[in-house]
Amino acid sequence: MMAFALIALIAGAASALMFASIVSGALISLVLFYLAPLPLMVAAIGWGPLCASIGGIAAAAGLGALFGLPYCIAFAVTVALPAWWLGHLVLLSRRVGPAAPEGATEPAAEPELEWYPVGRILLWIAGFAALTTIAVLLTLGTDADTIIGTLKRGLMRLLRATDPQASGEADQFVDALVRVAPAAATIVAMMTLTLNLWLSAKVTATSGRLHRPWPDMKTAELPPMTLVALCIALAFCFTGGLLAIVAQIATAALMMGYALTGFAVLHTLTLALKSRTFWLGSAYAVVVVFGWPVIAMVILGLADAVFGFRERFLRTRQPPPLPTP
């Protein structure tokens, strides 16, 4: 029990230090800030969600005592809560298959477990990314004009600090940047949460603490109703005001979810290629370097959700049935 509590406190302290490093203003602190959920996620997956909850509560309380209540709430919402809940979902399972008869004398076989689907975990990650971005924007104001004005003033101060001779074209650039800032922040939050969860699962698997089989990422797919939610969010993007900003954030999060499933589709459709590693590596490199080609992955993920490309491809690769005598 002492070792369990010590692991929880160490994980919480590491997350709190990484989260608080942002106040230093150093460039490396931005990397540490985005990796802040990683220690708590490792604790949640390797030692259970209770370990992450103890560490998260202790870390939030410590940050609140040192920096004030806003830091405590921000850490709890953006770091501790996602780490605890996503770690819980990774370990969530249920028994499948027929139950053993009551009067059976033979030793019962190992129960077959169905683990929480990867696609639903992606949907939760999208929800947390949207929640984090909305929470941050609400600290700037409670209406669209205030939020946009605060963002614009902050970006203009930053721009004038680097270029005192900024002209009117800079104002237009800042206006465009402010419009896409909420969606861009959501994409960053989505990608960093996904990276943190993948890294924590890899760390626990390497150390032998992962108490579930490694999932087949090629099968990841979002629930069917996600497409309906995306259409509704897209419709609300044209309403204006705070509702439109929230809808844009939700749309960006869901589209990134479909981008990740698009990569899963790409991994499936390239199974028959001899130079599969080269093509997959090239696709990842192009997306990482240029960014905008991720739109192709979004389209591929949406197309698979509508037309079922993976299911059709895998059906054609199955061997034909043996002829009956």
Side-chain angles (χ1 to χ4, degrees), residues 37-272:
L38 182 59
L40 286 176
M41 283 185 179
V42 171
I45 298 174
W47 286 268
L50 179 61
C51 185
S53 62
I54 293 173
I57 291 171
L63 287 172
L66 291 174
F67 300 103
L69 185 60
Y71 274 83
C72 173
I73 296 175
F75 179 84
V77 172
T78 63
V79 177
L81 180 61
W84 165 73
W85 184 246
L86 292 175
H88 164 71
L89 294 179
V90 167
L91 301 178
L92 190 61
S93 64
R94 63 180 180 182
R95 294 187 179 185
V96 295
E102 294 182 2
T105 57
E106 297 182 2
E110 280 290 325
E112 186 179 352
L113 297 178
E114 180 184 11
W115 298 92
Y116 198 76
V118 175
R120 292 184 181 271
I121 294 178
L122 278 179
L123 190 59
W124 277 104
I125 293 175
F128 279 122
L131 175 65
T132 300
T133 308
I134 292 170
V136 171
L137 289 181
L138 289 179
T139 63
L140 306 178
T142 55
D143 61 272
D145 293 335
T146 305
I147 292 172
I148 292 174
T150 305
L151 285 173
K152 185 175 180 180
R153 287 191 296 272
L155 288 173
M156 285 301 298
R157 282 197 299 268
L158 183 63
L159 185 62
R160 289 198 175 101
T162 56
D163 184 12
Q165 305 298 325
S167 61
E169 293 182 358
D171 291 342
Q172 298 177 358
F173 172 74
V174 169
D175 285 338
L177 197 59
V178 165
R179 296 295 177 181
V180 301
T186 307
I187 292 172
V188 172
M190 176 87 180
M191 297 309 298
T192 53
L193 264 180
T194 305
L195 177 63
N196 278 313
L197 187 61
W198 183 83
L199 283 175
S200 59
K202 278 293 183 183
V203 168
T204 51
T206 303
S207 62
R209 299 288 309 185
L210 184 61
H211 304 297
R212 63 162 291 171
W214 190 263
D216 185 5
M217 299 298 185
K218 297 192 301 296
T219 62
E221 59 180 357
L222 297 175
M225 288 302 294
T226 308
L227 195 57
V228 177
L230 177 59
C231 294
I232 294 173
L234 276 171
F236 279 110
C237 287
F238 301 96
T239 56
L242 184 61
L243 180 60
I245 294 177
V246 173
Q248 291 165 12
I249 290 171
T251 300
L254 293 177
M255 281 191 170
M256 281 309 300
Y258 277 111
L260 292 174
T261 59
F263 280 109
V265 176
L266 187 65
H267 275 262
T268 302
L269 299 183
T270 55
L271 285 173

